[in-house]
């Protein structure tokens, strides 16, 4: 019963936080995060230890839902439509931000180069939960039909998350095995990406065959997709030490294949079911991340954390301008793209606590900065996206 009671607290307080956030017109996930801090062990201590022990597994489940949701919304035709800028936006801004953390985390936070890279990989992802709904609304309202900026942001942001998650996995593995990156570690990155894509495509095509030739309810299809996603992550763990395979890339590739091979009506229905699942997992994810935060430690690290976050954002904005070189966008349109790439939330919540869960010395500071980054950038980015949309009209 204590676990069920804890789940009740998570959902009730998370929903209250979400509603209050909407009332003051900030992203609802901020309210969920604050609710988690409030009911966590460092404040009211309402949650049973059993649910906190499951936090890492629940975050992994939430991450899988995020990847499936992103894959089912990503049309390859959209990527072709926005072309080279979308490709560059998927990795250049994130790479620049990670470089910023590598150079400044040592001086400001006392982290090693590799720990700075890990922190950068956690913080470099843009938040689909904040950005994509707003871009979809802009598309529906006919904004920027000439430049396709909403499509560019949507496509780039979806791929940006995958790029960052792959780097995070590589840096985490290097830290766990000796705090250095040798040639083998570097060569494992493209190998893991290639094998993850290949296996994900194969599994996706098998599921497409199954869905096309057999009458299967959409809810059962989702169960099969999620089950295959779990197996891809298990394959990654099983093959560790033998060959590098990115299970997360596999999950994303599987979902993209489904999006581009199945009928539009089918993938729309699947996306709607995933979106309903996400309502519950979003509450679990953000409330549990908030509950993991040590308030005293976060307050102690607060000023330094804010400084490093804004340094990272400066590098990120430079990366956006670099990625958009050679396009026909004017200065205001490029600034709008930079503002749209500021919000952090979903990926940070999903992987921000992983370093702490694995026992790394930098785990506490990575989690705390992740939470502070969400609290700062999610409202800031959402406000700028909404207020500056006239710039791309």
């Amino acid at each position: 019963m204590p676990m069920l009671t804890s789940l009740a607290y998570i959902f009730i307080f998370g929903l209250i936080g979400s509603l209050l956030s909407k009332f003051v017109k900030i992203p609802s996930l901020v309210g969920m995060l604050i609710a988690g801090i409030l009911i966590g062990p460092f404040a009211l201590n309402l949650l049973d230890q059993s649910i906190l022990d499951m936090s890492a597994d629940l975050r992994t489940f939430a991450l899988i839902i995020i990847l499936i949701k992103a894959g089912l919304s990503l049309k390859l035709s959209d990527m072709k439509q926005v072309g080279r800028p979308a490709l560059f936006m998927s990795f250049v801004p994130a790479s620049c931000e990670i470089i910023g953390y590598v150079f400044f985390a040592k001086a400001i936070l006392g982290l090693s180069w590799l720990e700075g890279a890990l922190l950068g990989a956690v913080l470099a992802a843009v938040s689909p939960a904040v950005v994509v709904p707003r871009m979809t609304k802009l598309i529906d309202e006919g904004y920027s039909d000439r430049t396709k900026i909403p499509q560019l942001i949507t496509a780039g942001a979806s791929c940006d998350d995958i790029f960052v998650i792959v780097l995070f996995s590589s840096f985490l593995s290097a830290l766990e095995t000796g705090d250095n990156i040798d040639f083998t570690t570097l060569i494992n990155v493209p190998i893991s990406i290639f094998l993850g894509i290949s296996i994900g495509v194969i599994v996706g095509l098998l599921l497409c065959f199954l869905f096309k030739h057999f009458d299967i309810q959409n809810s059962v299809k989702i169960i099969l997709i999620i089950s295959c996603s779990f197996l891809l992550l298990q394959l990654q763990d099983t093959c560790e030490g033998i060959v590098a395979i990115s299970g997360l890339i596999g999950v994303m590739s599987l979902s993209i294949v489904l999006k581009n091979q199945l009928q539009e009506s089918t993938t729309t229905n699947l996306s709607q079911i995933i979106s309903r699942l996400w309502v519950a997992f979003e509450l679990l994810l953000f409330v549990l991340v908030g509950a993991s935060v040590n308030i005293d430690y976060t307050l102690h690290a607060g000023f330094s954390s804010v400084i490093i976050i804004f340094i990272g954002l400066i590098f990120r904005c430079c990366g956006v301008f670099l990625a958009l070189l050679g396009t026909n966008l004017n200065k205001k349109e490029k600034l709008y793209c930079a503002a749209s790439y500021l919000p952090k939330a979903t990926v940070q919540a999903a992987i921000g606590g992983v370093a702490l869960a694995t026992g790394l010395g930098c785990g506490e500071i990575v989690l705390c900065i992740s939470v502070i980054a969400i609290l700062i950038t999610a409202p800031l980015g959402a406000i700028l996206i909404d207020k500056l949309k006239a710039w791309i009209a």
Side-chain angles (χ1 to χ4, degrees), residues 112-171:
S112 69
W113 299 109
L114 191 51
E115 288 171 338
L118 180 75
L119 175 62
V122 171
L123 295 179
V126 67
S127 172
V130 177
V131 174
V132 173
R134 285 172 167 78
M135 293 302 118
T136 302
K137 185 179 179 183
L138 290 177
I139 293 171
D140 293 339
E141 293 174 352
Y143 275 83
S144 199
D145 285 336
R146 174 182 61 85
T147 57
K148 304 293 182 185
I149 285 177
Q151 292 88 338
L152 168 66
I153 298 297
T154 301
S158 299
C159 297
D160 167 278
D161 291 350
I162 305 305
F163 172 72
V164 167
I165 289 168
V166 170
L167 288 181
F168 170 78
S169 300
S170 302
F171 296 146

Side-chain angles (χ1 to χ4, degrees), residues 16-256:
I16 292 171
S18 175
L19 290 172
L20 290 175
S21 294
K22 290 178 181 177
F23 181 74
V24 296
K25 296 183 179 180
I26 61 174
S28 59
L29 51 87
V30 175
M32 299 176 198
L33 198 62
I34 295 172
I37 295 172
L38 181 65
I39 65 175
F42 300 100
L44 297 179
N45 195 24
L46 298 180
L47 301 181
D48 187 70
Q49 187 60 41
S50 58
I51 198 73
L52 296 174
D53 292 339
M54 292 177 58
S55 180
D57 291 332
L58 290 171
R59 287 198 301 269
T60 300
F61 201 161
L63 183 58
I64 288 174
I65 298 296
I66 293 167
L67 295 177
I68 294 173
K69 193 170 183 288
L72 289 174
S73 66
L74 185 61
K75 280 186 178 180
L76 295 180
S77 58
D78 289 343
M79 287 293 288
K80 293 177 182 177
Q81 187 180 34
V82 290
R84 177 186 61 83
L87 175 64
F88 286 166
M89 287 287 279
S90 68
F91 71 92
V92 174
S95 298
C96 290
E97 186 169 0
I98 292 171
I99 290 171
Y101 281 104
V102 169
F103 278 107
F104 285 93
K106 187 177 181 66
I108 296 175
L109 303 173
L111 301 180
S112 69
W113 299 109
L114 191 51
E115 288 171 338
L118 180 75
L119 175 62
V122 171
L123 295 179
V126 67
S127 172
V130 177
V131 174
V132 173
R134 285 172 167 78
M135 293 302 118
T136 302
K137 185 179 179 183
L138 290 177
I139 293 171
D140 293 339
E141 293 174 352
Y143 275 83
S144 199
D145 285 336
R146 174 182 61 85
T147 57
K148 304 293 182 185
I149 285 177
Q151 292 88 338
L152 168 66
I153 298 297
T154 301
S158 299
C159 297
D160 167 278
D161 291 350
I162 305 305
F163 172 72
V164 167
I165 289 168
V166 170
L167 288 181
F168 170 78
S169 300
S170 302
F171 296 146
L172 181 68
S173 176
L175 277 168
E176 289 179 316
T177 56
D179 201 18
N180 63 79
I181 295 183
D182 54 19
F183 176 77
T184 303
T185 304
L186 290 174
I187 200 66
N188 276 340
V189 174
I191 291 173
S192 68
I193 295 172
F194 174 76
L195 290 178
I197 292 173
S198 301
I199 295 171
V201 168
I202 292 170
V203 175
L205 290 173
L206 289 173
L207 287 175
C208 285
F209 177 84
L210 190 65
F211 296 165
K212 287 178 179 178
H213 291 83
F214 296 91
D215 185 18
I216 302 174
Q217 293 181 354
N218 286 326
S219 55
V220 177
K221 290 176 182 176
I222 288 296
I223 292 172
L224 288 171
I225 293 168
I226 293 174
S227 298
C228 289
S229 300
F230 288 159
L231 292 175
L232 286 171
L233 291 187
Q234 181 58 49
L235 178 64
Q236 173 183 312
D237 293 340
T238 302
C239 295
E240 189 174 357
I242 302 172
V243 63
I245 300 173
S246 175
L248 296 175
I249 286 283
V251 174
M252 185 73 171
S253 302
L254 179 161
S255 305
I256 293 173

Side-chain angles (χ1 to χ4, degrees), residues 5-15 35 39 47 51 58 283-285 287-288:
T5 304
S6 294
L7 284 172
Y9 286 140
I10 287 171
F11 288 124
I12 291 171
F13 279 86
L15 286 171
I39 65 175
L47 301 181
I51 198 73
L58 290 171
L283 284 165
L284 282 171
L285 176 61
V287 173
L288 285 173

Side-chain angles (χ1 to χ4, degrees), residues 254-265:
L254 179 161
S255 305
I256 293 173
V257 169
L258 294 176
K259 174 64 177 178
N260 290 274
Q261 293 294 319
L262 297 177
Q263 292 183 353
E264 183 72 24
S265 58

